Amino acid sequence: MSQRVKIKQILLSDSVNYEVTVKGWVRTFRNNQFIALNDGSTNNNLQVVVNEADTDPAVFRRITRGAAISVTGQIVPSLGAGQKVELKTATLEILGDCDAEVFPIQPKKQSLEFMREIAHLRFRTNTFGAVFRLRHALAFAVHKFFNDKGFVYLHTPIITASDAEGAGEMFRVSTLDPKNPPLNENGDIDYKEDFFGRATNLTVSGQLEGELGAMAFGDIYTFGPTFRAENSNTARHLAEFWMIEPEMAFYELKDNMDLAEEFIKYVIRYTLDNNREDLDFLAQRLAEEEKQKPQAERSPMGLIEKLEFVLNNEFTRITYTEAIEILKNSKPNKNKKFQFPVDEWGTDLQSEHERYLVEKHFQKPVILTDYPAAIKSFYMKQNDDGKTVRAMDILFPGIGEIVGGSQREENYDKLVRRMNELKIPVEELYWYLDTRRFGTAPHAGFGLGFERLVLFVTGMTNIRDVIPFPRTPKNAEF
Ligand code: ATP
Ligand code: MN
């Protein structure tokens, strides 16, 4: 038997008249002669030609949509219009049958909502094939970007005992018997008896540990799962998502913004250079979707244009204070169109405000900096004005916040004072504070939600469609 070759490789090559073995799943079987075979290496199918007269009837009837087969034969020039080459079958073996009548993936348009119910099979469609190959490519590009810059990939813990980060609601990790937990004198659950001898949770961010790495390696990044038990059932929130968190010693806020912008542009360019087929497929899909919408709601740019636009334009950088001025004077604010009116400095921006800034006012990615201290985390570097901190959020059209970051407060006294103000237990975070005691230095970092990046690059609109098996409130299927 000849060597198994991936379909992508066959279709990329110009050679003909050589023998191969291919293995994959039948997408369609037409005229009792033409199999469209897909092996997941590309959305493009290989046309496999079978001759009924030469095939065992018992095998022939098992060539059904969804079945796994192995075919050996010659790659020859195709007579048909749809493809350059095709595979002329010498031997065909059924590896796994599939009853096409009950196979949930049907050869017609099926909704994304329905696909979520059959997420265990949806990889076998063109849309999800393209989305998850792109997700892979983006993950690879993330590692390549940081590796090429000499960053150390640091694995921060997934189970943590610090509940001081304040990034979101946490999932408890416990091995205590929920029916009969040990209690202390006050009648509360006694976590001293628990597996770790203390209460533990799934991490909401690797940042605090990341900072410890940055204060030794200089530049580190994390790329791992994070968990938030926030009950926000939106198209942009997951209870389990992947976050990329670089942390750099000797970086100030501007360096941090420059790195974030360079990083996002790099990974987008990587997919345009290496995954054009899948992007083109999704661009086409999006264009068809847009046609269903009323004219006024249609996006002025296609997917590829949108990606290129991001590459070719500098992100707008403005302060929170400037953003508030723009929003206060904006038409929707004056006409009371915002659900949350913008009237005073200090309030947190809602997603409607973020979207107005990026989609209507600037029409490109925006980096907002120097937020009020009161709405940001304790570890952000305090500005001299006594009111704001050196935070930066990056907002993207159609997505909203894609990055949250800041320069960190490196001054021990200022940091402790802020923690006390916010009643954050200083003793528990002694290890974090130690970096400020032993050779502290300016440093900065950010967190980028990987699925929000995948959303932007694929043009998908619901975050549940860009992670293989989404975890959201009331849903942990598969
Ligand atoms: P948002 O305001 O959108 O809830 P956040 O302010 O809670 O975001 P951060 O704590 O700064 O976000 O987290 C850093 C990044 O992680 C965000 O910019 C976003 O890209 C991503 N992110 C945050 N929460 C989620 C979530 N529940 N699901 C997916 N990605 C998320
Ligand atoms: Mn949040």
Side-chain angles (χ1 to χ4, degrees):
M1 198 169 89
S2 50
Q3 221 193 333
R4 179 181 166 222
V5 180
K6 295 265 179 109
I7 288 172
K8 181 177 182 177
Q9 196 186 323
I10 296 171
L11 297 180
L12 273 178
S13 145
D14 287 326
S15 343
V16 286
N17 302 324
Y18 60 101
E19 197 190 68
V20 292
T21 295
V22 292
K23 300 184 186 199
W25 295 269
V26 176
R27 280 284 171 90
T28 59
F29 185 29
R30 91 193 144 76
N31 296 351
N32 275 342
Q33 198 180 0
F34 302 111
I35 301 170
L37 191 70
N38 190 280
D39 69 359
S41 60
T42 159
N43 263 351
N44 297 320
N45 302 320
L46 177 66
Q47 173 152 292
V48 175
V49 188
V50 280
N51 187 342
E52 187 171 4
D54 298 343
T55 315
D56 175 355
V59 172
F60 193 80
R61 51 182 162 72
R62 292 164 64 201
I63 306 173
T64 55
R65 203 163 39 73
I69 64 172
S70 171
V71 188
T72 301
Q74 287 280 319
I75 294 293
V76 296
S78 176
L79 301 176
Q83 58 282 318
K84 279 198 290 190
V85 298
E86 61 192 23
L87 175 60
K88 198 162 168 277
T89 303
T91 57
L92 186 151
E93 187 191 342
I94 307 288
L95 302 174
D97 291 288
C98 181
D99 181 346
E101 295 287 297
V102 299
F103 184 41
I105 310 275
Q106 292 290 322
K108 59 170 190 202
K109 197 163 164 47
Q110 292 174 295
S111 74
L112 295 174
E113 288 78 14
F114 173 69
M115 285 294 153
R116 270 170 232 150
E117 289 169 24
I118 54 159
H120 56 307
L121 296 169
R122 67 179 175 173
F123 301 126
R124 287 208 227 165
T125 63
N126 283 335
T127 297
F128 290 97
V131 165
F132 289 110
R133 274 188 301 272
L134 277 163
R135 183 181 165 110
H136 159 78
L138 284 165
F140 179 78
V142 166
H143 286 299
K144 183 159 167 50
F145 176 82
F146 287 118
N147 182 66
D148 290 355
K149 281 195 175 295
F151 280 57
V152 168
Y153 178 28
L154 194 75
H155 293 101
T156 51
I158 289 173
I159 299 175
T160 60
S162 63
D163 58 356
E165 295 155 40
E169 299 289 312
M170 307 217 251
F171 288 101
R172 175 130 287 163
V173 175
S174 173
T175 54
L176 295 177
D177 178 359
K179 285 204 201 102
N180 187 24
L183 302 178
N184 59 23
E185 307 95 74
N186 305 328
D188 298 326
I189 294 179
D190 187 4
Y191 286 105
K192 286 207 186 71
E193 301 278 313
D194 206 346
F195 188 92
F196 295 105
R198 60 199 296 183
T200 50
N201 305 284
L202 293 178
T203 184
V204 293
S205 155
Q207 180 203 318
L208 300 192
E209 290 92 349
E211 285 185 48
L212 312 181
M215 297 312 282
F217 297 106
D219 301 320
I220 66 96
Y221 70 107
T222 73
F223 186 178
T226 45
F227 307 85
R228 296 191 186 176
E230 47 196 6
N231 211 347
S232 43
N233 228 325
T234 76
R236 294 174 306 113
H237 288 89
L238 291 162
E240 175 181 296
F241 65 99
W242 288 67
M243 186 144 62
I244 297 142
E245 296 181 276
E247 193 68 38
M248 296 74 60
F250 320 118
Y251 267 50
E252 301 196 355
L253 188 64
K254 180 176 182 301
D255 311 308
N256 204 23
M257 288 192 276
D258 291 345
L259 182 80
E261 183 166 346
E262 184 189 346
F263 168 57
I264 294 173
K265 288 179 171 173
Y266 176 91
V267 295
I268 291 176
R269 189 182 308 279
Y270 182 89
T271 59
L272 280 167
D273 291 346
N274 295 280
N275 304 82
R276 199 47 194 256
E277 231 173 59
D278 286 328
L279 282 176
D280 284 339
F281 175 84
L282 291 170
Q284 183 70 32
R285 193 198 83 86
L286 193 64
E288 273 157 32
E289 200 113 297
E290 288 283 314
K291 274 193 225 144
Q292 312 295 316
K293 293 187 191 162
Q295 193 83 43
E297 284 171 33
R298 288 186 202 165
S299 155
M301 279 187 245
L303 180 61
I304 306 288
E305 277 176 288
K306 202 180 68 170
L307 299 178
E308 277 168 354
F309 181 83
V310 166
L311 296 186
N312 297 331
N313 287 280
E314 275 174 21
F315 297 4
T316 299
R317 300 177 183 194
I318 58 165
T319 64
Y320 165 92
T321 304
E322 287 165 331
I324 287 289
E325 282 311 306
I326 293 170
L327 289 166
K328 261 202 224 162
N329 298 317
S330 70
K331 251 199 213 153
N333 198 50
K334 289 185 167 156
N335 299 341
K336 310 218 169 343
K337 287 277 157 55
F338 284 141
Q339 195 191 337
F340 299 90
V342 181
D343 44 23
E344 54 180 317
W345 190 93
T347 51
D348 207 353
L349 299 181
Q350 302 294 326
S351 88
E352 58 180 345
H353 308 135
E354 298 178 343
R355 297 190 71 149
Y356 174 81
L357 288 171
V358 284
E359 288 162 26
K360 295 275 166 2
H361 190 84
F362 290 108
Q363 300 188 335
K364 58 179 173 145
V366 174
I367 313 184
L368 286 184
T369 63
D370 301 285
Y371 281 76
I375 58 170
K376 288 289 180 188
S377 305
F378 74 92
Y379 49 72
M380 296 190 181
K381 185 171 174 65
Q382 298 156 34
N383 279 321
D384 293 336
D385 63 9
K387 295 192 306 190
T388 59
V389 287
R390 251 167 236 180
M392 62 168 214
D393 277 7
I394 303 186
L395 313 178
F396 256 54
I399 306 287
E401 182 187 326
I402 193 165
V403 163
S406 69
Q407 185 174 339
R408 318 305 187 190
E409 181 54 74
E410 83 272 18
N411 180 288
Y412 180 86
D413 294 328
K414 283 189 183 172
L415 186 55
V416 169
R417 206 177 312 131
R418 186 67 184 143
M419 288 170 79
N420 286 330
E421 277 168 20
L422 297 173
K423 305 209 165 35
I424 291 168
V426 171
E427 317 74 55
E428 253 183 56
L429 283 180
Y430 75 92
W431 49 270
Y432 181 68
L433 287 164
D434 269 1
T435 52
R436 277 69 170 174
R437 290 176 64 210
F438 305 120
T440 192
H443 63 289
F446 61 86
L448 176 138
F450 186 53
E451 285 75 20
R452 296 206 184 158
L453 175 69
V454 182
L455 269 181
F456 185 74
V457 171
T458 58
M460 301 296 284
T461 47
N462 193 313
I463 201 161
R464 293 163 181 78
D465 297 331
V466 298
I467 188 163
F469 303 106
R471 269 76 182 101
T472 50
K474 300 278 176 287
N475 172 44
E477 186 80 20
F478 313 110

